Amino acid sequence: MAETAFERDLIGPMRASSPTQANAAPLPEKMQTGATLLIRALENLGIDTVFGYPGGAIMPVYDALVGSKLRHILMRHEQGAAFAADGWARVTGKPGVCIATSGPGATNLVTGIANAMMDSVPLICITGQVPTPLLGTDSFQEVDILGISLPIVKHSWLVRDAAVIPAIVEEAYHLATSGRPGPVLIDLPKDVAAKPAHSPRAFALPNDGDVAAHVEQGLADATALMRQAQRPLLYIGGGVGLAGAAPALRRFARKTGIPGVATLKGLGALPTDEPLFLGMLGMHGTKAANLAVHQCDLLIALGARFDDRATGMLASFAPHAKIIHIDIDAAEIGKLRGADVGVACDLKYALNLLDPGPLAIEDWVNRVCETKQAFAWRYDAPGDGIYAPALLKALSERAGDDFIATCDVGQHQMWAAQHCRFAQPQAHLTSGGLGAMGYGLPAGIGAKLARPHAQVVTITGDGSIMLNIQELATLKRYDLALKILLLDNNALGMVRQWQELFYEERYSEVELPDNPDFVEVARAFGIDAFRADKRDEVPGLIERLLGASGPCLAHVVIHPRENVWPLVPPGRGNHEMLEEDAR
Amino acid sequence: MSTTLYLLLDRAEGSLVRLLGLIERRGFHIDQMVLTEAGSERNLTLKVRGSDGSRSPDVLKRQIDRLYGMRRVACDGTSDGPDECCAKGRGQPC
């Protein structure tokens, strides 16, 4: 269907959204179109930055962006926009907003939406859609993004009436951020976006009600279990950081003296150098953490979901323990492991209320601390090549408390989780649930925009960086001082490691000897870059990378056969971990 | 063993496919379905069966309950009868 005369008049040619948009005149009030209502609603909610990529069906929205207060960050791929919005959201605690056109623009968002769903990140995704008369006719760039995204959003709307747009945006914001956060999607047909709207309806904020009596009872039951326990352990998940409950957790842990372990996403809720923090649990967890889980008699799960990467074989996970499970999402309680006490409530509320008093757990604490000391990481790798764990440890310590790592997926991701120092929650941004390679660079862009003064470092590999390497152009465009540490082992290292260990060294499509020259690639985008491959270069590498005033990439060559240890083999319990020496 | 779910949900675009998709993705077969429209709402009775013994109807009920636009959920075989839908409050475990 051809555009209406009204649409033609309204839309006009595409205009650059940044940095010229601030100088353009706003649309007059009488021209309040659906698109304008959308932009105004976002502004009214306090959103100041959005990430996106324009195209045909979303053109009315991009037109309405001209002259708006919103800062639009033009990414180079819609997946990059979703990941950047994700990074922004994790760091700010506010919803990230990403915008794409219909069809391929919308489908390119899908991985980012799924990532946000798995990791409980508040995201508002806005997609253009073909005009309503063309819906269901297989028209150009039409795809049923509402249907495609159903399993990976908290909720979604196909807007058919421009008057409801402000209400939907407010509802979307509320839903994305309330309870367990997550992504929502607003699919906006082009004609709805382009038409003027009258009498916009308001959104009535739902009353979430008071804390129910059974929550109080659940917390009392949990307190009683803690008093009985001789070997209690905190199992800290990503929900602690999402709930803003890290300060309450720290007070609770220090007051009770209960040791803790964390999931990949829970790292930093307790500082990783806290004496009673035993490290990450699970497949690549520390021996101290996994043994403590195996030996504890009470496991206090906080904002964790008993993910298989954390539990190993579920039947042998914490076999001697009673379970207290506290989570905002009632559907997580008992989903995989039954809870002796399950409490569906806000973690900050719970942790501030829980007070078991003095606990007689000295023997237990001494035991786990001895194990932690006995199996502490070693950094005395042979040879003169760069040992990635030692580099990551030194880099994170040099970066200080304001260090934020955005990781890709693979060996470097696990090394970062094991060896980096994290002083704050939401300082370790990674695609935990979905495991999406290509997350690190765009998420780093979002994080750096959100926290310009933080030392944000994207930790990536030679496999992962290639999945969204086009975002180097975004980095240059906005001249963001994001630092990229690229650990290059000329392979898809984690897959290679599994082929070595579990597929009798039959290496299949994992070697990458034909990688490009990453230094030259970065320079082609206008980004400072350098290479290092000797251990004695590490101190200078760290200083140069962290000290750079603009974007900078360090291409670090590591040994191609380095593996991540320890490792819990698939189908085994966490206490049956393989270690390098025992292999 | 089958379980009967009693549901009251908003009559919004996509609400049925959202619900049915969730039930199947979470490992349940739908054996029987009765739907009646009531103004802006839909009453739905579903007989479902887990694909294996590890599937808990109670967990499914809570997963359904967190769907936006779901007004009431109850199931037989749990402590809540159909007239006591989520008597403990929205989103709380039985």
Side-chain angles (χ1 to χ4, degrees), chain A residues 319-343:
Chain A
H320 314 295
K322 290 188 173 177
I323 305 289
I324 295 171
H325 194 171
I326 306 176
D327 198 294
I328 190 74
D329 184 356
E332 283 301 334
I333 295 170
K335 184 181 79 175
L336 293 167
R337 171 76 184 255
D340 297 275
V341 175
V343 190

Side-chain angles (χ1 to χ4, degrees), chain A residues 193-213:
Chain A
K195 281 178 187 164
H198 306 288
S199 307
R201 287 176 220 151
F203 166 64
L205 198 66
N207 179 7
D208 290 336
D210 299 324
V211 175

Side-chain angles (χ1 to χ4, degrees), chain A residues 150-151 153 155-158 160 171 175 180 203 214 329-331 333-335 344, chain B residues 13-14 17-18 25-26 54 56 59 62-63 66-69 88-89 91-93:
Chain A
L150 277 177
V153 293
H155 196 66
S156 45
W157 296 262
L158 173 61
R160 293 182 183 273
E171 198 173 8
L175 194 58
R180 179 180 181 170
F203 166 64
H214 67 90
D329 184 356
I333 295 170
K335 184 181 79 175
Chain B
E13 187 164 350
V17 69
R18 208 181 291 274
R25 278 193 307 279
R26 294 292 182 177
S54 70
S56 158
V59 172
R62 279 179 269 144
Q63 286 165 337
R66 68 182 181 178
L67 281 178
Y68 196 59
K88 294 174 183 172
Q92 304 307 330

